Amino acid sequence: MRKTSAKSKFSAVVMGFMAAVLMIFSKETILQVKAAEDMLVTNLEVAAAPDGAGVMASCHYQNYTDQSGCEMRLYLYRVEGGKEIVESQTPLSFATQGYDCTQPKQVPDGIYRASVTIDDGIEIRQVNSLNFYQVGWNGNDYIVTEITGGKGKEQSGPEKEDQRKSDSCGHYACDYFLIEPATSEKDAVQAYQCIDCGAVLEYKDVPNSAYAAFLKETEEMIQNASHQAEIIISTEQWMSFDRAVFDALKIRQDIMVKVNYRYQGEIYLLVIPAGIDVEKLIDENGFAGFRRIEEILTGGAYFI
């Protein structure tokens, strides 16, 4: 009887301790959820800067503090061909009652919208402006017109409830969408986006897409050059051409190519003469580095 009594007493102590832990954990969880619910983004808009010389996104927000457990960022998007292209962005500062806007920027005419991403380290939710905006330059300043579609500007009533439903979406149907195309200097950016609610869960660069854009631009410059032209290419990032560039030179044997490129902090000039046998420049993988080409053609390199 004594053993049974001691064992029961020990079990009661353990159960009491576990209950206390669960109670504390549950309380913290409720507080965290409540804090997340209280955080609110409103008045997401696209507008012309006060001087009319640029376009910006703006928003008001509430209860965003260093205890919120997330990062919020404001975006100005250009919507083109079903894709979202980032024109400007800015992180939001912690504030109980806050307002912020992106830096005014000169942008192409088109359709725009404002968005705020909420990144808690696990997923990224996106809150979008209720409407799109038509942006146009009239020669003196920007004109921004809201495309209402029957909805008001503020998140309230049914619209606010729709946004809550979007935030609670399970994101079961997602795909990658190009939001910023590659240039010869910067990789393309993709968004992993929910097809159902439009939330962006992840942004990622497309590896090597900037290099591919550089090669494509060079190829097109050669193909479209006038007769017996001299093509000048300048780059501080890349140091090679692929077979497609040399195939273009095979066809356009009247073209001379000059490349200004950077190597170990110095600017060099590579000259590929018109009519050169490009096959002796290419390695077994179909590429040719600028340094390799210089050694084959001249035995050295020209400094600028």
Side-chain angles (χ1 to χ4, degrees):
M1 290 296 291
R2 289 179 182 177
K3 288 185 179 180
T4 303
S5 177
K7 186 175 182 181
S8 300
K9 188 174 182 180
F10 176 75
S11 299
V13 171
V14 171
M15 292 299 293
F17 174 75
M18 292 178 64
V21 170
L22 288 173
M23 184 178 296
I24 294 172
F25 178 79
S26 299
K27 184 177 181 182
E28 289 180 349
T29 303
I30 292 171
L31 288 175
Q32 289 174 358
V33 171
K34 186 175 187 303
E37 288 179 349
D38 287 344
M39 195 168 61
L40 184 65
V41 178
T42 60
N43 297 87
L44 261 169
E45 297 178 340
V46 176
D51 61 1
V55 176
M56 61 187 189
S58 65
C59 73
H60 290 81
Y61 54 97
Q62 299 175 18
N63 302 325
Y64 175 45
T65 71
D66 56 359
Q67 301 299 313
S68 299
C70 63
E71 179 188 63
M72 296 207 300
R73 187 173 291 268
L74 174 64
Y75 287 85
L76 173 66
Y77 284 114
R78 174 162 52 92
V79 182
E80 185 175 292
K83 302 169 185 175
E84 293 182 339
I85 300 170
V86 178
E87 289 290 348
S88 59
Q89 59 175 293
T90 188
L92 298 181
S93 301
F94 294 131
T96 303
Q97 296 284 340
Y99 167 83
D100 211 338
C101 59
T102 59
Q103 286 292 324
K105 182 181 179 183
Q106 295 180 351
V107 297
D109 292 359
I111 304 297
Y112 289 78
R113 77 172 178 184
S115 294
V116 169
T117 57
I118 304 172
D119 183 358
D120 63 7
I122 299 175
E123 66 173 355
I124 301 177
R125 294 181 295 150
Q126 184 169 331
V127 181
N128 299 318
S129 56
L130 291 176
N131 301 307
F132 293 93
Y133 295 80
Q134 178 72 54
V135 173
W137 174 256
N138 68 3
N140 296 311
D141 49 26
Y142 282 97
I143 304 298
V144 178
T145 305
E146 186 175 12
I147 305 172
T148 61
K151 292 184 178 181
K153 292 183 179 180
E154 297 187 10
Q155 295 182 11
S156 59
E159 291 83 5
K160 183 175 178 181
E161 185 62 30
D162 288 344
Q163 184 61 61
R164 287 177 178 170
K165 291 178 181 177
S166 175
D167 288 344
S168 63
C169 175
H171 310 314
Y172 299 115
C174 299
D175 203 351
Y176 283 100
F177 296 91
L178 182 69
I179 62 171
E180 191 170 349
T183 68
S184 60
E185 298 178 351
K186 184 180 179 183
D187 283 334
V189 179
Q190 287 182 324
Y192 189 58
Q193 190 168 15
C194 177
I195 297 173
D196 293 331
C197 72
V200 176
L201 308 182
E202 179 187 15
Y203 292 98
K204 63 181 293 186
D205 293 338
V206 181
N208 299 319
S209 55
Y211 179 54
F214 166 72
L215 296 173
K216 186 64 176 177
E217 287 179 9
T218 302
E219 179 187 354
E220 291 177 350
M221 287 178 65
I222 295 170
Q223 292 172 340
N224 300 327
S226 57
H227 182 60
Q228 295 183 340
E230 180 182 286
I231 302 298
I232 299 177
I233 298 166
S234 297
T235 176
E236 295 198 359
Q237 288 182 257
W238 314 118
M239 290 189 59
S240 64
F241 289 144
D242 67 350
R243 177 168 287 279
V245 172
F246 291 106
D247 286 344
L249 281 174
K250 279 185 182 180
I251 298 172
R252 294 300 307 274
Q253 296 197 8
D254 59 316
I255 301 300
M256 174 186 288
V257 176
K258 293 183 177 181
V259 185
N260 299 320
Y261 70 97
R262 183 180 293 275
Y263 176 68
Q264 293 184 346
E266 301 288 346
I267 301 296
Y268 288 81
L269 171 63
L270 166 65
V271 179
I272 304 178
I276 188 73
D277 180 7
V278 298
E279 288 299 329
K280 68 180 183 181
L281 306 179
I282 305 173
D283 65 18
E284 63 276 11
N285 298 313
F287 288 83
F290 299 158
R291 305 295 292 175
R292 168 191 171 92
I293 297 173
E294 287 167 347
E295 290 178 0
I296 293 173
L297 295 180
T298 68
Y302 295 105
F303 282 100
I304 294 182

